[in-house]
Amino acid sequence: MKDQIDEQALLKGLAISDKKAVETIYQENFNMVQSLIINNNGSSDDAKDVFQEAMIVLYEKARSGTFELNCQIKTFVYSVARRLWLKRLQQQNRFSATSDNLENLIPVENELEEHEKVNVEFELMEKALNNLGEPCKSLLEAYYLQKQNMHVIAANFGYTNADNAKNQKYKCLMRLKKIFFTDYKNGNDDGGY
Amino acid sequence: MEDIKILDAVERYIRGEMNPDERLHFENLRKTNAEIDLLVVEHTLFLQQMNRFGEWKKFRSSLNDVHTQLTEQGKIDSTRLKGKAKVVYLFNRYKRVAAIAAVIAGVTTISLSALVWSVSPKPPSSADYLELSRKVDAAKTKTDRLENDLAVVKSEKSSKPSIAYKTVGTGFFIDASGLMITNAHVVKNSRNISVFNEKGDKFNAIVLKLDINRDVAIIKIDDENFKQFSTLPYGISKNSADVAEPIFTLGYPRDEIVYGEGYMSAKTGNNGDTLSCQIAIPADPGNSGGPVFNKKGEVIGVLSAKKTNAESAVFAVQSKYIYKALEELKTNALYKKVKLSSKSSVAGLSKVQQVKKIQDFVFMVKGD
């Protein structure tokens, strides 16, 4: 029972990306996933990739608030990582059946579908930002992601005052929104939703 | 100016930074003005997306930090396992090469010993002795001289890396690990292949696959000085380009990288060949093997041959052939994992920006 409480606390920590929680989950699960990958034709770099991807799935799940812990974190991470790795192997046309005991697995298809969708959206945003070029990219990142104050931004980017910086930010934002929403719509059309 | 103020107000409204009066005023405005209402909805969605994106990015990078930190503290096995697994990994990776090398070594040994046996003198009669010793002497001086010559050649080779190159062309990367595409005729008769980046740094390369018919070669940089890329800025298109689509190429008709632009002339090559296409673009011999890009910055072909009797007819192998060629290469265990991307990250950029990003991945290829 105590374990379960601990795990709940860990997930709560993870949801706010608390460093201690992330470290604990990382430390307790990485080696397990690594041996899974390495025993199935992967390298330790693959293991790192797949494990971190699984961590992000767990993170999203923890943040969504709908995660009812009806299994251990370990089981969840292992199931997700295994599924991700099988998928990768399939993409590379290397069908290989992993031999593991299936009792410890839970179905994670829905989570992965959700995760893929989110990934596509974030890739869109990343692409849109990259396509903006500089200084727009850094300017918007400073304001919207790092939440810096306009005065600080004006000073860092060499604008004479906050209003000038605001002006520039506005122009950049309009361009970003245009790119983002065009891609967003196109992406949704292509995806055939 | 007005728009900026409106957006500013919308942002403050969404963040809840307005005072009650202002808020009431704004909400009224929102009710009466559909445009502003739409802007609020749209901007809320956008800001949410932006916020989540920011957190997602931060979490991703924090994972990497945690990974390095835990590895350093020895709390996870990452590096240790790497060391242990490395032997197995290397064995898997090179077992084919090792097998081939062993076979070659075996064949060489057998043929050499056969040779030695066949030319080795039968037990000499005494009359032949003197003669023979002189012969041995002569042979010895000859060998000495040969050895000296060899030493000279060796020292020349190491001190002067300049090899007399006979062919020059262009090549470009198809994956971040160092696989490149060029024309087969550039490398087919060469013992040494060197590739040069735009700055002139030289790397050695080896041929992995030659298709003389298609005039396409896959080569790989085999040089410890070569640092793998993280990603390529361009993708390799799986589709054919349309007729009249604008295209451009980068290549080394001279020592410096040269840009050229043109258009797709025909979707097929000579005699209706569907794996190549005809393009109109300025091309000189050094352009051989260069990439042909569409306006999104995706590789749509490999520049290959020029028809001598028609000035502007240039042919290119379509990029989908690259995928085909790679599939064949993948039968080799070493290259099973190679994956090409068809997505271009430079798609929305201006031509100048695209070329700036792409040119680091187009190399000069020389063969001796």
Side-chain angles (χ1 to χ4, degrees):
Chain A
M1 217 45 216
K2 191 179 161 291
D3 282 354
Q4 217 165 25
I5 294 164
D6 281 354
E7 295 228 313
Q8 284 292 7
L10 274 180
L11 285 176
K12 273 195 188 128
L14 179 68
I16 52 166
S17 47
D18 169 66
K19 194 154 185 271
K20 190 83 207 122
V22 177
E23 274 177 24
T24 315
I25 300 178
Y26 209 107
Q27 191 181 330
E28 282 175 359
N29 295 283
F30 180 78
N31 288 351
M32 162 189 80
V33 170
Q34 179 165 257
S35 24
L36 166 75
I37 307 284
I38 290 196
N39 289 333
N40 286 287
N41 285 325
S43 66
S44 59
D45 279 344
D46 291 329
K48 186 180 155 197
D49 274 3
V50 169
F51 178 71
Q52 295 197 349
E53 199 76 34
M55 280 293 281
I56 290 171
V57 177
L58 185 69
Y59 169 70
E60 279 160 8
K61 190 104 176 134
R63 272 169 53 104
S64 72
T66 57
F67 194 17
E68 281 168 30
L69 198 74
N70 37 28
C71 65
Q72 279 187 314
I73 292 179
K74 230 180 182 60
T75 318
F76 183 82
V77 170
Y78 184 83
S79 305
V80 170
R82 178 179 177 277
R83 193 76 206 84
L84 285 171
W85 182 237
L86 281 181
K87 211 167 152 197
R88 263 200 216 186
L89 287 176
Q90 267 164 18
Q91 275 167 356
Q92 299 165 348
N93 289 324
R94 294 162 40 191
F95 298 95
S96 103
T98 56
S99 50
D100 42 19
N101 81 40
L102 290 157
E103 284 159 28
N104 271 331
L105 288 173
I106 52 157
V108 287
E109 300 305 325
N110 292 342
E111 281 81 3
L112 287 185
E113 212 168 282
E114 182 63 25
H115 172 69
E116 213 129 273
K117 232 168 80 190
V118 172
N119 258 359
V120 169
E121 280 173 21
F122 287 154
E123 268 164 26
L124 267 183
M125 185 65 94
E126 190 137 51
K127 214 176 96 192
L129 268 171
N130 285 335
N131 283 348
L132 271 186
E134 296 298 351
C136 272
K137 181 173 182 260
S138 308
L139 191 62
L140 291 179
E141 279 179 353
Y143 185 75
Y144 288 106
L145 301 185
Q146 288 133 35
K147 316 237 184 267
Q148 284 174 16
N149 176 305
M150 261 304 160
H151 295 281
V152 178
I153 293 178
N156 286 345
F157 285 78
Y159 293 102
T160 39
N161 57 45
D163 271 343
N164 276 347
K166 216 179 232 179
N167 231 324
Q168 185 60 41
K169 185 216 88 182
Y170 176 77
K171 283 185 201 153
C172 294
L173 179 68
M174 285 300 120
R175 276 180 55 211
L176 177 66
K177 276 175 82 167
K178 202 172 151 200
I179 301 178
F180 176 74
F181 279 107
T182 322
D183 283 354
Y184 196 66
K185 279 163 200 152
N186 288 344
N188 284 357
D189 288 349
D190 290 352
Y193 294 125
Chain B
M1 222 34 211
E2 199 51 25
D3 289 342
I4 301 185
K5 278 199 187 127
I6 293 174
L7 188 88
D8 202 40
V10 170
E11 285 194 346
R12 288 197 303 126
Y13 173 74
I14 294 171
R15 287 201 214 105
E17 287 169 8
M18 285 183 165
N19 61 40
D21 275 356
E22 216 181 351
R23 193 173 180 84
L24 201 66
H25 182 71
F26 189 84
E27 269 164 5
N28 276 333
L29 190 67
R30 211 183 141 180
K31 269 182 210 141
T32 49
N33 190 331
E35 228 171 283
I36 295 208
D37 188 50
L38 185 71
L39 187 64
V40 172
V41 173
E42 188 201 79
H43 206 65
T44 312
L45 171 72
F46 181 79
L47 284 187
Q48 269 175 4
Q49 195 67 21
M50 200 72 176
N51 268 336
R52 283 182 60 195
F53 171 70
E55 279 159 19
W56 175 77
K57 247 182 113 165
K58 230 195 266 167
F59 186 70
R60 278 209 153 201
S61 66
S62 82
L63 280 181
N64 270 328
D65 294 344
V66 170
H67 187 92
T68 339
Q69 192 193 328
L70 290 178
T71 309
E72 272 165 15
Q73 295 168 353
K75 286 183 180 159
I76 54 173
D77 271 347
S78 191
T79 44
R80 209 178 64 202
L81 235 156
K82 222 177 187 171
K84 206 163 65 180
K86 201 163 185 180
V87 180
V88 179
Y89 170 72
L90 283 179
F91 173 71
N92 282 334
R93 190 168 159 158
Y94 291 112
K95 66 182 169 199
R96 221 185 134 92
V97 179
I100 293 168
V103 170
I104 293 173
V107 170
T108 320
T109 319
I110 291 168
S111 44
L112 260 180
S113 53
L115 201 71
V116 168
W117 176 78
S118 69
V119 297
S120 61
K122 308 290 172 279
S125 64
S126 56
D128 288 337
Y129 254 121
L130 202 73
E131 171 87 42
L132 201 72
S133 78
R134 216 174 297 138
K135 264 190 190 158
V136 169
D137 269 0
K140 192 173 179 296
T141 39
K142 239 184 202 166
T143 343
D144 283 354
R145 215 179 309 142
L146 264 178
E147 250 167 22
N148 283 339
D149 285 356
L150 211 67
V152 171
V153 170
K154 257 188 196 156
S155 67
E156 262 179 359
K157 204 178 161 198
S158 56
S159 64
K160 263 198 293 169
S162 61
I163 307 161
Y165 295 110
K166 281 186 304 214
T167 53
V168 178
T170 303
F172 61 98
F173 288 90
I174 54 171
D175 89 325
S177 75
L179 288 187
M180 297 178 85
I181 292 278
T182 186
N183 274 163
H185 75 256
V186 177
V187 293
K188 70 175 173 199
N189 290 325
S190 309
R191 272 176 312 155
N192 297 301
I193 296 156
S194 310
V195 297
F196 300 80
N197 64 13
E198 199 223 343
K199 290 183 212 115
D201 301 331
K202 179 189 142 188
F203 306 99
N204 296 321
I206 50 169
V207 174
L208 299 182
K209 189 179 150 54
L210 263 187
D211 187 333
I212 305 283
N213 276 340
R214 284 275 158 226
D215 199 10
V216 167
I218 303 183
I219 61 177
K220 182 174 173 44
I221 292 193
D222 187 23
D223 198 311
E224 53 190 15
N225 291 326
F226 174 70
K227 271 195 247 119
Q228 293 202 354
F229 299 112
S230 55
T231 50
L232 301 185
Y234 50 80
I236 316 282
S237 173
K238 286 181 181 162
N239 307 317
S240 327
D242 284 319
V243 173
E245 208 174 288
I247 52 171
F248 66 95
T249 184
L250 288 168
Y252 290 91
R254 33 188 289 231
D255 275 348
E256 198 166 325
I257 194 160
V258 173
Y259 168 85
E261 60 182 19
Y263 52 87
M264 266 297 275
S265 310
K267 274 190 157 181
T268 57
N270 241 343
N271 302 326
D273 175 3
T274 52
L275 272 179
S276 67
C277 57
Q278 188 188 333
I279 54 180
I281 211 158
D284 290 302
N287 280 101
S288 279
V292 180
F293 296 98
N294 63 12
K295 66 172 192 291
K296 284 193 238 161
E298 295 162 354
V299 175
I300 56 130
V302 185
L303 213 150
S304 65
K306 191 168 173 175
K307 217 177 177 180
T308 41
N309 53 1
E311 196 42 50
S312 60
V314 178
F315 292 98
V317 180
Q318 292 194 21
S319 53
K320 57 188 175 195
Y321 176 73
I322 298 176
Y323 284 92
K324 247 181 116 168
L326 197 72
E327 275 318 304
E328 288 163 34
L329 186 66
K330 276 189 184 169
T331 48
N332 181 336
L334 280 181
Y335 303 105
K336 246 182 185 170
K337 287 189 193 167
V338 175
K339 230 184 117 213
L340 302 189
S341 159
S342 58
K343 275 195 270 177
S344 219
S345 66
V346 294
L349 300 186
S350 70
K351 196 61 78 50
V352 178
Q353 293 299 329
Q354 283 183 341
V355 170
K356 245 184 210 162
K357 296 230 156 98
I358 292 173
Q359 64 183 3
D360 298 339
F361 301 85
V362 179
F363 279 28
M364 189 192 292
V365 181
K366 286 185 174 180
D368 70 344

